[in-house]
Amino acid sequence: MACSITINGRAFPCKDKIGGIKKVWIQQLSDVSWNAVSSGEISDASAAVTFRSFELTKNSGSFQQTVTASVENGTVFFSQVLELTLPNLTAGDNAELYDLMKSRLSIIVQDNNDNYLIMGHTTGAESTGGTVGTGTAKGDLNGYQLQFTAEEAIPAPFLASGFTNVTLTAGS
């Protein structure tokens, strides 16, 4: 059976967007049950869940999705990579970030255009690298550089506006 496709085309968009991310919201994947994806977005979680925010300094985080396809095997998946820089080493942050690095997560990425993308909505996102450092020179980063990766069958869906079961709460 052949795949059916619908092609609507795409007009050249206005140049009214900017790059980068401003904040991420994180929760254990096991605590989240997302509604089904429809037209590239998820309307809400199926039950109440609270995500905690991790604020970033400007121009210090990125979210990229790489398409991996195999003609020979007939497969396509999306590798989602989130890179965060969090300044200022603290004992409390060490403990909390270590817990995150051991967990499978659901991550909402808020970009600089106020789009909310759900990373690892099905299989979860996991820590795949990073550094914790003091820097060398006085102006160097004293903090954390973290990388999280997810592999999903589709690109990260958008979280639709008007959700009611997802609470986004500021971190402490």
Side-chain angles (χ1 to χ4, degrees), residues 5 53-54 62 82 85 89 96-97 100 109 113 125 140:
I5 61 172
S53 73
F54 288 76
S62 69
L82 173 66
T85 299
L89 295 174
E96 183 169 356
L97 294 172
L100 287 178
V109 178
N113 302 295
D140 289 350

Side-chain angles (χ1 to χ4, degrees), residues 96-156:
E96 183 169 356
L97 294 172
Y98 180 59
D99 285 343
L100 287 178
M101 289 182 236
K102 297 184 300 183
S103 302
R104 186 167 289 151
L105 308 167
S106 185
I107 301 175
I108 299 172
V109 178
Q110 181 183 3
D111 72 11
N112 283 329
N113 302 295
D114 288 327
N115 294 310
Y116 293 81
L117 297 151
I118 305 171
M119 177 184 187
H121 77 284
T122 302
T123 61
E126 298 186 57
S127 174
T128 53
T131 61
V132 178
T134 61
T136 304
K138 302 276 190 284
D140 289 350
L141 172 69
N142 176 287
Y144 309 86
Q145 291 179 304
L146 306 175
Q147 183 179 67
F148 296 92
T149 303
E151 292 178 341
E152 295 286 343
I154 63 172

Side-chain angles (χ1 to χ4, degrees), residues 8-132:
N8 294 324
R10 183 174 191 254
F12 191 79
C14 294
K15 297 177 187 175
D16 61 353
K17 303 293 183 209
I18 58 174
I21 62 175
K22 66 168 86 169
K23 193 180 292 188
V24 297
W25 310 82
I26 300 177
Q27 179 54 271
Q28 295 275 358
L29 178 66
S30 60
D31 292 342
V32 183
S33 177
W34 293 110
N35 290 346
V37 177
S38 176
S39 300
E41 65 182 13
I42 291 177
S43 61
D44 207 345
S46 59
V49 62
T50 299
F51 281 74
R52 298 282 181 196
S53 73
F54 288 76
E55 293 192 36
L56 310 174
T57 54
K58 62 182 174 181
N59 304 321
S60 68
S62 69
F63 180 58
Q64 301 295 325
Q65 300 183 77
T66 303
V67 180
T68 302
S70 171
V71 173
E72 299 81 11
N73 298 323
T75 58
V76 176
F77 71 93
F78 296 80
S79 179
Q80 304 167 352
V81 178
L82 173 66
E83 294 181 340
L84 305 174
T85 299
L86 304 170
N88 301 338
L89 295 174
T90 69
D93 287 344
N94 273 354
E96 183 169 356
L97 294 172
Y98 180 59
D99 285 343
L100 287 178
M101 289 182 236
K102 297 184 300 183
S103 302
R104 186 167 289 151
L105 308 167
S106 185
I107 301 175
I108 299 172
V109 178
Q110 181 183 3
D111 72 11
N112 283 329
N113 302 295
D114 288 327
N115 294 310
Y116 293 81
L117 297 151
I118 305 171
M119 177 184 187
H121 77 284
T122 302
T123 61
E126 298 186 57
S127 174
T128 53
T131 61
V132 178

